[in-house]
Amino acid sequence: FGSLQEHAYPADELMPLTCRGRVRGQEPSRGDVDDALGKFSLTLIDTLDTLVVLNKTKEFEEAVKKVIKDVNLDNDIVVSVFETNIRVLGGLLGGHSVAIMLKEKGEYMQWYNGELLQMAKELGYKLLPAFNTTSGLPYPRVNLKFGVRHPEARTGTETDTCTACAGTLILEFAALSRFTGTSIFEEYARKALDFIWEKRQRSSNLVGVTINIHTGDWVRKDSGVGAGIDSYYEYLLKAYVLLGDDSFLERFNTHYDAIMRYISQPPLLLDVHIHKPMLNARTWMDSLLAFFPGLQVLKGDIRPAIETHEMLYQVIKKHNFLPEAFTTDFRVHWAQHPLRPEFAESTYFLYKATGDPYYLEVGKTLIENLNKYARVPCGFAAMKDVRTGSHEDRMDSFFLAEMFKYLYLLFADKEDMIFDIEDYIFTTEAHLLPLWLSTTNQTISKKNTTTEYTELDDSNFDWTCPNTQILFPNDPMFAQSIREPLKNVVDKSCPRGISRAEESLGSGPKPPLRARDFMASNPEHLEILKKMGVSLIHLKDGRVQLVQHAVQAASSLDAEDGLRFMQEMIELSSQQQKEQQLPPRAVQIVSHPFFGRVVLTAGPAQFGMDLSKHKAGTRGFVATIKPYNGCSEITNPEAVKEKIALMQRGQCMFAEKARNIQKAGAIGGIVIDDNEGSSSDTAPLFQMAGDGKNTDDITIPMLFLFNKEGNIILDAIREYEAVEVLLSDKAKDRATIFKGKMIPNYIIDSNLELESMDQKSSENDSHKQSSEEATSASQDVDAVSEEPEDGDSSDVTDPESLPPADADSDSVSISNQDSSVPGTDEAGAPEPARTHGDHRPQEQKTETESNSKVNLDNKVQPMESILADWNEDIEAFEMMEKDEL
């Protein structure tokens, strides 16, 4: 907070690595993330009530004066309605709530006269134009100065919004109405909630992630408790607590029953399809669902809260922080961590409910990890990659608004607090709203607007708030007994229960075709698939997609066979991807004129020599094989013998290629992608799998290069003919490369009499051009993963990682009707890794001598300068290793 005041104010956020403020428009755009910034001192407003919780009342008083004096809410800037509501409107209301409490106590804020509330009301009116839709759902963005449809607004063309974006308004808007007596805010927020409730999927009682604000049609039909939906459920329950309206509790209970029926697979919470809730929509979870155990505590359903929280804690112990997304077998899916507070929030609520000191130890771990890995001189920096510990110059306002508030409350005794926290409810941004609002300015009639509410047989409905005396009668070990079976859930594979397909289909007859036997090139297999209602589609990028339409099956029994086949294919893919994922490898060009300066990011193979155990790597000249695809016996073995073979991807298994070149005498192989223009810059790291058989007979190393990187080697061959490369687990410095070998004459002496100065100049120009082309392949390691936007199909596996697959296809994906099926891209694919480096090849430094007669002694003389040059390169490589290239 001190750094914010010193280095960033009045900017919206602190940039903790560079010790300056983030001002929108002055920094490179971060896309939607920047929609939270409105040039209104975001972090300061968001932090107001945290200061009071931490007993920093003087700092709070000064901060309120700054906000009143300096903050302008009339900026010509487009902001997120959702973020502005929970952070700024909520921050102003939370600040007002604690300000009037301090004023009543008589020591601080005696001058305060509701100024923050007036600012909140002004902001509320600026958000209202977003609700100008037929449905009552707000536009996702609004211009603070011009609204939505004004010619200068630069917004208002959007058609979709997320469920949480439209359903996380009722606490702040109702509080604003209750504080001011102006009912319009609560009315608008209720209308939006009513519309979402009416549009729920009636058979499953679930809601989707995004909805069309004009028609009410679901745009994304997957449903979970994480990003896009999370706080909609939270606000239904908390709206009942704050406002006392039974309809909100009824809606929450209806949704909660559906969540526990379909989404909850303890200890996991997996997204499903709203129309087919027995079908998982993805095989990974995002970190925002970490709030859900805390909500379950408020609901009173403690057991699943303990289970999910413990699973999340095991992930944190493995990675120090909770990755933005992780798979069902607890591998990193998205590696970033922007210091989110949801897990700390659930930890606090679980400690309040159980009194179990275990949760104090959890909080201690969180604090130690923050101080050890995220603390920087000007604050706390977000983690760019939890696996490497790299930082991002980012500290979101919610870090000060929520993280320190929950951690302080976790450890605080009653005497540490200057007010009773039980008199308030937390918004989703942890802002404090007083519970007495429930009986103040009730301008809305409390009629039950919930329609078609069905009484559900759920014993948990009796619980609306937890009571530790009833929950744990004389049993302080209750929580531990629930946690105990889960203590190794991350380190070991998650215990697998009976799959839903198995459960529903029983142990009937096996399908006529098993997934492990399927070959996409077998006409008989394709005919069987057709009978089962499964069609095979060849995609433009060479992949093959499997889609099942039950109505197209020859009979209902065949449709069931098709369902089993699809389920087996998913299971098969998942099992294969549970093999240990390998890190990227390096292909280093060590011959003239590169001498190890060009390093290409290569994908590893799950078979053959493990380069991580052979530190020297494999070094040799490259040779192109015939046939180029390597799918049959090599016809030019004399050219391949004792060399590293180059071949093209496709038309057969990777293992088959490896066996063919090994038989021809090759000492290693490089498979080059046949997809024109593919590059490690933009594509996820590719890992070559076996063929489903024993691959112990393959002893040579095999690496995979994308098309762009492969062309660098092919271009080098065309220009220099003899190209030598080093295959290794990571790039080597040149001293290591040439250790024990004769140092090339080109390095020892560049003054050879056979070369004229003109020749040198021409050659250097040539080297420079070649080097500049080559460097495009080396880049900084930066893990990125994107969720496919199209929910209709998901890649399941590359056929080279499947048992016998189509020779013409490089990957298979499966889809069931219009739904996404978990696949390797989501569940088990190697984490996307892209490598680049700034180690641009340099021209060799030469020394010229006036005397053209050079004797042997003179030739040896330049060695000191050469070694100095090497030392520079070694330092560069060490720095490169530090950056984890």
Side-chain angles (χ1 to χ4, degrees):
F1 183 76
S3 292
L4 173 74
Q5 300 291 78
E6 182 180 350
H7 302 294
Y9 187 80
D12 283 318
E13 288 179 353
L14 169 69
M15 298 173 71
L17 295 181
T18 51
C19 298
R20 56 197 173 100
R22 183 183 298 280
V23 179
R24 194 168 173 184
Q26 294 182 14
E27 302 292 336
S29 173
R30 300 176 298 170
D32 292 348
V33 176
D34 283 340
D35 287 343
L37 311 182
K39 297 183 179 178
F40 36 35
S41 298
L42 171 67
T43 305
L44 183 61
I45 291 177
D46 217 1
T47 311
L48 288 176
D49 52 7
T50 299
L51 293 170
V52 178
V53 171
L54 270 62
N55 203 2
K56 300 290 183 183
T57 45
K58 290 181 180 177
E59 289 85 347
F60 169 74
E61 193 158 1
E62 292 169 5
V64 171
K65 290 177 179 177
K66 273 189 176 181
V67 169
I68 296 170
K69 175 175 172 287
D70 298 337
V71 171
N72 177 24
L73 298 172
D74 195 39
N75 300 313
D76 178 12
I77 194 166
V78 176
V79 296
S80 160
V81 173
F82 168 75
E83 297 290 358
T84 304
N85 171 64
I86 65 171
R87 300 201 206 188
V88 186
L89 183 58
L92 291 170
L93 291 172
H96 173 70
S97 299
V98 293
I100 57 177
M101 176 271 296
L102 289 173
K103 185 175 182 179
E104 284 176 8
K105 287 182 177 291
E107 185 177 353
Y108 295 100
M109 303 297 293
Q110 295 306 301
W111 54 270
Y112 182 70
N113 197 28
E115 290 85 352
L116 293 179
L117 181 60
Q118 289 306 310
M119 293 179 69
K121 188 175 182 180
E122 178 190 352
L123 181 60
Y125 278 119
K126 288 185 175 297
L127 295 179
L128 286 186
F131 292 82
N132 190 15
T133 60
T134 53
S135 66
L137 298 178
Y139 282 95
R141 297 173 187 85
V142 67
N143 187 301
L144 290 176
K145 191 177 185 70
F146 297 109
V148 172
R149 294 186 175 176
H150 191 279
E152 298 180 63
R154 305 187 304 284
T155 190
T157 58
E158 304 94 340
T159 58
D160 307 336
T161 192
C162 73
T163 301
C165 301
T168 311
L169 300 160
I170 186 66
L171 291 189
E172 291 83 1
F173 273 49
L176 183 57
S177 288
R178 302 292 174 98
F179 270 130
T180 63
T182 306
S183 63
I184 188 171
F185 304 109
E186 186 172 343
E187 289 170 2
Y188 274 52
R190 281 178 178 262
K191 185 179 178 184
L193 271 182
D194 290 345
F195 190 82
I196 295 173
W197 170 251
E198 291 300 323
K199 290 297 178 179
R200 75 193 185 283
Q201 212 293 319
R202 298 302 176 100
S203 61
S204 67
N205 281 321
L206 294 172
V207 292
V209 174
T210 53
I211 188 171
N212 186 297
I213 59 176
H214 303 297
T215 66
D217 295 332
W218 292 109
V219 180
R220 274 188 54 189
K221 300 180 177 69
D222 45 320
S223 182
V225 295
I229 303 179
D230 49 2
S231 48
Y232 162 68
Y233 294 134
E234 178 187 0
Y235 269 38
L236 283 178
L237 182 56
K238 289 184 176 179
Y240 164 68
V241 175
L242 181 66
L243 307 178
D245 189 332
D246 290 346
S247 68
F248 291 130
L249 179 61
E250 291 170 354
R251 294 181 193 182
F252 174 79
N253 283 339
T254 303
H255 284 313
Y256 188 77
D257 176 74
I259 290 167
M260 300 310 290
R261 189 185 302 265
Y262 303 120
I263 295 169
S264 176
Q265 300 177 39
L268 310 179
L269 292 162
L270 293 177
D271 285 18
V272 298
H273 293 273
I274 58 175
H275 297 291
K276 289 177 292 226
M278 301 300 285
L279 183 64
N280 288 337
R282 61 171 68 146
T283 53
W284 51 270
M285 297 165 279
D286 66 72
S287 63
L288 286 170
L289 61 76
F291 92 99
F292 197 67
L295 187 63
Q296 289 178 306
V297 169
L298 191 62
K299 159 75 177 162
D301 199 2
I302 303 294
R303 177 178 288 274
I306 292 171
E307 292 173 336
T308 299
H309 179 276
E310 180 63 18
M311 177 270 293
L312 295 170
Y313 184 44
Q314 298 296 329
V315 175
I316 289 174
K317 287 202 287 189
K318 185 174 182 178
H319 299 292
N320 299 320
F321 298 98
L322 198 60
E324 276 292 77
F326 53 93
T327 62
T328 52
D329 49 358
F330 310 110
R331 290 198 303 271
V332 172
H333 186 67
W334 296 337
Q336 307 96 318
H337 173 72
L339 306 180
R340 292 199 186 278
E342 284 77 14
F343 182 77
E345 173 185 358
S346 288
T347 303
Y348 164 67
F349 280 115
L350 271 170
Y351 180 65
K352 291 286 288 185
T354 65
D356 191 333
Y358 175 83
Y359 295 109
L360 297 179
E361 291 298 322
V362 174
K364 181 182 176 184
T365 300
L366 296 182
I367 293 171
E368 288 174 346
N369 287 349
L370 282 171
N371 280 323
K372 187 173 181 180
Y373 301 109
R375 191 165 195 150
V376 293
C378 285
F380 291 81
M383 308 306 294
K384 188 175 183 180
D385 191 319
V386 298
R387 296 163 300 186
T388 65
S390 54
H391 288 126
E392 193 176 349
D393 199 3
R394 169 183 179 184
M395 192 182 84
D396 291 85
S397 68
F398 53 67
F399 182 64
L400 292 180
E402 299 182 69
M403 181 69 86
F404 291 125
K405 190 177 290 171
Y406 286 125
L407 288 177
Y408 183 85
L409 289 171
L410 174 64
F411 292 100
D413 294 322
K414 197 164 187 178
E415 55 269 21
D416 296 323
M417 301 293 297
I418 59 172
F419 65 99
D420 189 353
I421 197 72
E422 304 297 339
D423 291 338
Y424 298 82
I425 192 167
F426 292 107
T427 69
T428 194
E429 191 78 1
H431 292 306
L432 302 175
L433 298 178
L435 292 174
W436 53 257
L437 287 175
S438 59
T439 57
T440 303
N441 290 326
Q442 295 185 30
T443 54
I444 307 293
S445 62
K446 285 177 57 176
K447 66 173 183 177
N448 190 332
T449 56
T450 301
T451 57
E452 298 181 32
Y453 171 69
T454 306
E455 286 295 332
L456 299 169
D457 181 21
D458 186 342
S459 59
N460 283 323
F461 281 14
D462 297 335
W463 302 90
T464 52
C465 291
N467 182 321
T468 54
Q469 289 183 334
I470 299 174
L471 283 172
F472 314 115
N474 304 316
D475 186 9
M477 302 298 288
F478 176 83
Q480 183 179 338
S481 66
I482 298 174
R483 288 193 304 268
E484 190 65 24
L486 301 170
K487 66 180 182 180
N488 295 318
V489 71
V490 171
D491 292 333
K492 298 178 182 178
S493 59
C494 188
R496 180 183 174 273
I498 298 174
S499 70
R500 284 170 173 163
E502 292 168 346
E503 193 175 37
S504 59
L505 294 172
S507 54
K510 296 296 179 186
L513 176 64
R514 304 300 301 272
R516 64 170 177 262
D517 301 324
F518 170 66
M519 292 185 67
S521 57
N522 186 325
E524 185 182 341
H525 288 184
L526 296 179
E527 192 60 36
I528 296 172
L529 289 190
K530 185 177 179 182
K531 188 180 176 185
M532 296 189 298
V534 179
S535 54
L536 186 143
I537 303 168
H538 289 270
L539 302 178
K540 290 180 181 180
D541 59 4
R543 292 179 299 151
V544 171
Q545 184 179 15
L546 293 175
V547 183
Q548 190 205 21
H549 296 280
V551 294
Q552 295 177 7
S555 68
S556 59
L557 287 176
D558 289 317
E560 289 186 3
D561 286 344
L563 179 59
R564 288 194 193 97
F565 174 82
M566 299 290 279
Q567 191 67 31
E568 281 188 4
M569 188 65 83
I570 296 168
E571 292 290 332
L572 179 66
S573 169
S574 176
Q575 287 169 12
Q576 289 169 339
Q577 288 304 321
K578 281 179 180 174
E579 298 177 28
Q580 183 181 3
Q581 301 304 328
L582 302 171
R585 306 301 191 203
V587 175
Q588 203 165 358
I589 307 179
V590 298
S591 55
H592 165 83
F594 306 101
F595 298 114
R597 286 193 172 111
V598 174
V599 182
L600 309 175
T601 300
Q606 292 179 348
F607 54 85
M609 180 192 291
D610 184 354
L611 290 170
S612 66
K613 296 178 181 176
H614 295 77
K615 294 300 182 183
T618 297
R619 177 173 175 164
F621 288 91
V622 294
T624 304
I625 62 172
K626 296 178 182 178
Y628 190 31
N629 59 33
C631 292
S632 58
E633 187 174 346
I634 307 304
T635 59
N636 62 335
E638 70 288 342
V640 175
K641 190 173 182 180
E642 298 301 320
K643 293 185 179 176
I644 293 173
L646 296 178
M647 68 213 79
Q648 190 175 47
R649 178 187 181 186
Q651 301 187 30
C652 66
M653 303 293 172
F654 290 124
E656 186 178 342
K657 298 175 191 284
R659 290 188 179 99
N660 288 333
I661 63 168
Q662 182 173 283
K663 185 178 177 182
I667 60 173
I670 297 175
V671 179
I672 298 175
D673 193 10
D674 58 345
N675 186 10
E676 191 67 33
S678 66
S679 168
S680 63
D681 297 355
T682 54
L685 175 69
F686 189 88
Q687 181 165 293
M688 297 185 288
D691 55 4
K693 304 170 185 174
N694 191 320
T695 54
D696 290 346
D697 58 315
I698 303 173
T699 58
I700 61 174
M702 293 288 291
L703 295 181
F704 177 87
L705 288 179
F706 283 106
N707 188 264
K708 179 181 174 183
E709 286 78 10
N711 280 335
I712 290 173
I713 292 183
L714 296 176
D715 290 344
I717 292 174
R718 280 190 284 270
E719 187 164 354
Y720 302 105
E721 293 186 8
V723 174
E724 189 179 14
V725 301
L726 173 65
L727 312 184
S728 59
D729 62 332
K730 57 184 177 182
K732 311 291 188 211
D733 60 75
R734 285 193 291 165
T736 302
I737 291 171
F738 296 113
K739 185 177 182 181
K741 293 182 179 287
M742 181 179 291
I743 298 172
N745 286 336
Y746 179 85
I747 294 182
I748 290 182
D749 185 9
S750 60
N751 275 333
L752 295 179
E753 292 180 273
L754 295 174
E755 292 182 322
S756 69
M757 291 299 292
D758 291 337
Q759 285 173 318
K760 286 187 215 169
S761 173
S762 169
E763 184 178 283
N764 285 341
D765 289 343
S766 169
H767 299 163
K768 183 176 180 181
Q769 181 181 357
S770 149
S771 301
E772 287 174 351
E773 291 171 1
T775 20
S776 62
S778 289
Q779 301 159 354
D780 265 3
V781 171
D782 182 5
V784 179
S785 177
E786 296 179 1
E787 173 191 347
E789 292 188 11
D790 186 355
D792 289 350
S793 64
S794 300
D795 296 342
V796 168
T797 186
D798 281 66
E800 283 130 324
S801 70
L802 273 175
D806 181 22
D808 293 320
S809 56
D810 288 313
S811 67
V812 176
S813 60
I814 19 188
S815 216
N816 189 304
Q817 297 179 24
D818 64 344
S819 357
S820 171
V821 178
T824 35
D825 282 355
E826 294 177 342
E831 280 313 303
R834 295 175 296 166
T835 315
H836 40 258
D838 51 16
H839 50 289
R840 182 175 293 274
Q842 303 169 5
E843 297 184 35
Q844 295 296 328
K845 297 179 181 177
T846 64
E847 294 184 15
T848 58
E849 297 182 24
S850 57
N851 188 350
S852 61
K853 293 179 180 180
V854 182
N855 58 29
L856 186 61
D857 292 335
N858 287 339
K859 287 186 180 181
V860 181
Q861 274 309 110
M863 183 57 71
E864 289 180 7
S865 62
I866 292 164
L867 289 175
D869 185 25
W870 281 3
N871 284 330
E872 289 179 9
D873 289 326
I874 290 169
E875 290 173 7
F877 273 102
E878 287 173 348
M879 183 62 67
M880 183 177 71
E881 285 186 26
K882 263 190 180 177
D883 293 339
E884 303 199 74
L885 271 161

